[in-house]
Amino acid sequence: MLAASQANAESAGSSKAAAGAMAPKPCVDPWDFVTTNCLLTWKGITVYGTIDVGVGWQSHGAPFDPRSAVAASYLVQKQNRSPLWTLAPNALTNSAIGIKGIEPIGADFSVVFALDAGFDPYSLRLSDGPGSVAANMGVPQNQQTAFSDSSRAGQWYNGQGFVGVSSPTYGTLTVFRQNSLTLDAVLDYDPFGASYGFSPIGFQGITCGGGNTENCRHSTSLKYRLKVGQFRAAALWQFGGYAQNNASHGAYQFGVGADIPTWGKDVLSVDAIYSYVRDSVSLGLAPGSNDANGTPIPPFLPQTLTATISDNSAVMFVAKYTTGALKLYAGYEHIRYMAPSNPQTAFTDISGDFVCEGCAAFNNTNINNAAFGVNGLGNRTMQIMWLGTKYAVTEDLDVIAAYYHYIQNSFFGTAAGGPAPCFSAARAQCAGTFDAISAAVDWRFAPKWDTYAGIMFTQVNGGLASGFLQHNNIAPTVGLRFRF
């Protein structure tokens, strides 16, 4: 939960003295900024960011989308269709710019804050996943771009935007827009650190959102983290709803974990997190025209922006073992999708688009409150698991590899006949699987610079392949990253 990336974003939990002697020096000129590990800092406020650019090829891809956080179809998606070369930004890390700070206020307490926003480095647009979905409504499936839903919805604070109080003794309490505990865990326990180009659990956000990617971040939330010796605990409460730029009407999470010394300097890190989200929103495009096997067929009709509403609960278990230059990773999450507590008729989503039930003729939108647990359909369960490794060949060269696997149950049924289990791609409610294999090499050739090359293979089967033009994708990518 207390991910390395979160430490970079929050600087919450270390004392001013510890931050002093070890911290990089402030930058003195532009050349110093580009070539050394100096900081853009002034009176306790630090400007930080990442620029990640690249190019790639996809065996079954979709055109580049500058609105989407992921921008390129690294992962097989419903609209993926043909081989193409493409711009490939944000493959290893989402490009972002932000400010952060920590200011002692007496005793061992400090005020901490952070504010950041992700963007596309080619178009310089703020990342807007829901906006990329909305931009493709009314577009036939075989003409759609690489859109993808996201908690980054074009806000100037689409990453994090919080303030709080931190103490090494009493923990850290922060408020406003923050990562979910499950996003913190994915950042720390995914060998690719929630990469878009090499990790499906980074690309999709199902895992970090406890079922839906828009819940990977909460705009109005309280978050508390406490570390005592080798043990830690955390809790998050989303206290606002749709009107406060959240993708649910409430959420809470609880987590516990530890870093356990084993042999020599080896360490076993483990965390467990429970999540519950009420009236969670997932945006997509529907319906399409499919044959009996679930394969889209001509004519590829223009599609409607559809918000699926559900109550979601999830349990996540993650582990990491560090021994010398080698790190081993493993994770498992069980997610349950249920009928919403409060079926919706109309609302404004986190990207600012108005969505209403049965409004295809009005503004080409719809709301689906009956996707799970209604009219004979059962509750949907998703099991997500992964294994991976990262090996530091040298101090500046890492080799990373991972395998990811999803399992969906069959939850199809009818009000008259009850459950009707199925295992093909004929319906999205049939049982299905997803697999991904990825590998990459990352070389840090200068203090703030690295270059990487890698590949990800993804494949869908059964119900998880329903409505897909193609069932697999091979996506090699090379990139250059600047972090400051």
Side-chain angles (χ1 to χ4, degrees):
M1 288 173 292
L2 303 180
S5 59
Q6 190 180 15
N8 178 59
E10 300 182 7
S11 299
S14 60
S15 67
K16 185 177 180 181
M22 299 298 294
K25 62 182 179 62
C27 299
V28 297
D29 56 48
W31 183 249
D32 194 36
F33 169 65
V34 172
T35 61
T36 75
N37 65 347
C38 67
L39 294 178
L40 290 177
T41 186
W42 180 75
K43 293 189 176 182
I45 299 175
T46 299
V47 178
Y48 66 98
T50 300
I51 301 172
D52 188 332
V53 297
V55 294
W57 179 82
Q58 295 160 16
S59 63
H60 297 117
F64 172 79
D65 189 323
R67 306 171 193 83
S68 171
V70 298
S73 283
Y74 305 108
L75 194 80
V76 61
Q77 298 177 275
K78 286 188 175 182
Q79 70 271 32
N80 285 29
R81 50 195 179 269
S82 58
L84 56 81
W85 288 93
T86 180
L87 297 175
N90 304 338
L92 200 56
T93 310
N94 196 97
S95 297
I97 183 73
I99 59 172
K100 63 182 178 180
I102 177 168
E103 183 64 31
I105 57 175
D108 66 349
F109 289 92
S110 297
V111 172
V112 295
F113 64 89
L115 175 68
D116 64 83
F119 63 92
D120 171 59
Y122 291 113
S123 68
L124 300 183
R125 287 175 179 255
L126 291 173
S127 300
D128 186 357
S132 74
V133 184
N136 281 272
M137 68 177 176
V139 177
Q141 185 174 348
N142 64 338
Q143 298 176 30
Q144 293 165 2
T145 59
F147 70 84
S148 184
D149 198 9
S150 174
S151 60
R152 297 185 184 271
Q155 312 98 322
W156 52 270
Y157 53 91
N158 66 46
Q160 296 194 95
F162 64 81
V163 64
V165 179
S166 179
S167 162
T169 304
Y170 299 103
T172 300
L173 178 66
T174 46
V175 64
F176 299 129
R177 185 169 172 87
Q178 302 176 81
N179 291 348
S180 66
L181 299 186
T182 37
L183 175 54
D184 290 339
V186 170
L187 289 167
D188 204 25
Y189 287 95
D190 176 5
F192 282 100
S195 152
Y196 295 153
F198 309 109
S199 169
I201 63 176
F203 184 104
Q204 287 187 313
I206 295 172
T207 307
C208 66
N212 292 328
T213 185
E214 291 192 15
N215 300 119
C216 289
R217 296 173 179 86
H218 305 277
S219 289
T220 51
S221 64
L222 279 172
K223 188 176 184 180
Y224 178 68
R225 302 177 307 283
L226 176 66
K227 184 173 176 62
V228 180
Q230 66 192 36
F231 300 100
R232 58 181 167 266
L236 181 143
W237 171 47
Q238 180 202 304
F239 54 84
Y242 299 159
Q244 288 73 44
N245 196 238
N246 295 293
S248 67
H249 274 145
Y252 57 84
Q253 295 183 307
F254 302 100
V256 293
D259 298 313
I260 306 167
T262 54
W263 295 273
K265 296 183 178 181
D266 294 0
V267 177
L268 173 64
S269 300
V270 293
D271 277 287
I273 303 168
Y274 174 78
S275 307
Y276 183 82
V277 186
R278 184 164 56 90
D279 303 329
S280 176
V281 177
S282 175
L283 284 182
L285 296 173
S289 300
N290 301 334
D291 64 16
N293 296 316
T295 302
I297 56 175
F300 299 106
L301 301 176
Q303 295 187 306
T304 299
L305 178 67
T306 303
T308 299
I309 313 298
S310 61
D311 282 9
N312 303 337
S313 65
V315 180
M316 174 186 281
F317 301 99
V318 285
K320 176 173 62 178
Y321 190 79
T322 303
T323 175
L326 179 66
K327 292 181 179 179
L328 303 174
Y329 301 81
Y332 173 82
E333 186 174 31
H334 184 281
I335 305 168
R336 188 183 188 201
Y337 300 79
M338 300 161 284
S341 297
N342 301 289
Q344 301 298 304
T345 57
F347 67 96
T348 299
D349 69 20
I350 59 174
S351 187
D353 294 307
F354 180 72
V355 184
C356 52
E357 187 176 18
C359 291
F362 167 59
N363 66 349
N364 204 23
T365 68
N366 188 31
I367 297 175
N368 184 0
N369 295 295
F372 315 109
V374 177
N375 296 328
L377 297 180
N379 293 324
R380 179 194 190 197
T381 62
M382 283 284 287
Q383 299 179 75
I384 299 174
M385 55 207 77
W386 67 92
L387 294 169
T389 182
K390 179 185 291 186
Y391 181 71
V393 180
T394 69
E395 189 178 67
D396 300 315
L397 181 66
D398 292 336
V399 177
I400 315 166
Y403 170 67
Y404 306 84
H405 183 62
Y406 299 5
I407 303 173
Q408 175 181 274
N409 71 319
S410 173
F411 58 101
F412 179 72
T414 63
C422 55
F423 304 91
S424 71
R427 299 182 178 91
Q429 299 89 356
C430 293
T433 59
F434 166 90
D435 294 279
I437 301 172
S438 54
V441 176
D442 181 26
W443 175 41
R444 295 173 294 280
F445 61 87
K448 292 177 180 173
W449 296 85
D450 64 325
T451 185
Y452 58 86
I455 187 170
M456 179 166 65
F457 168 78
T458 54
Q459 179 172 288
V460 286
N461 296 287
L464 290 179
S466 183
F468 278 63
L469 292 168
Q470 300 288 342
H471 289 188
N472 59 65
N473 189 32
I474 301 171
T477 306
V478 295
L480 178 68
R481 185 171 59 165
F482 177 65
R483 292 178 289 178
F484 59 92

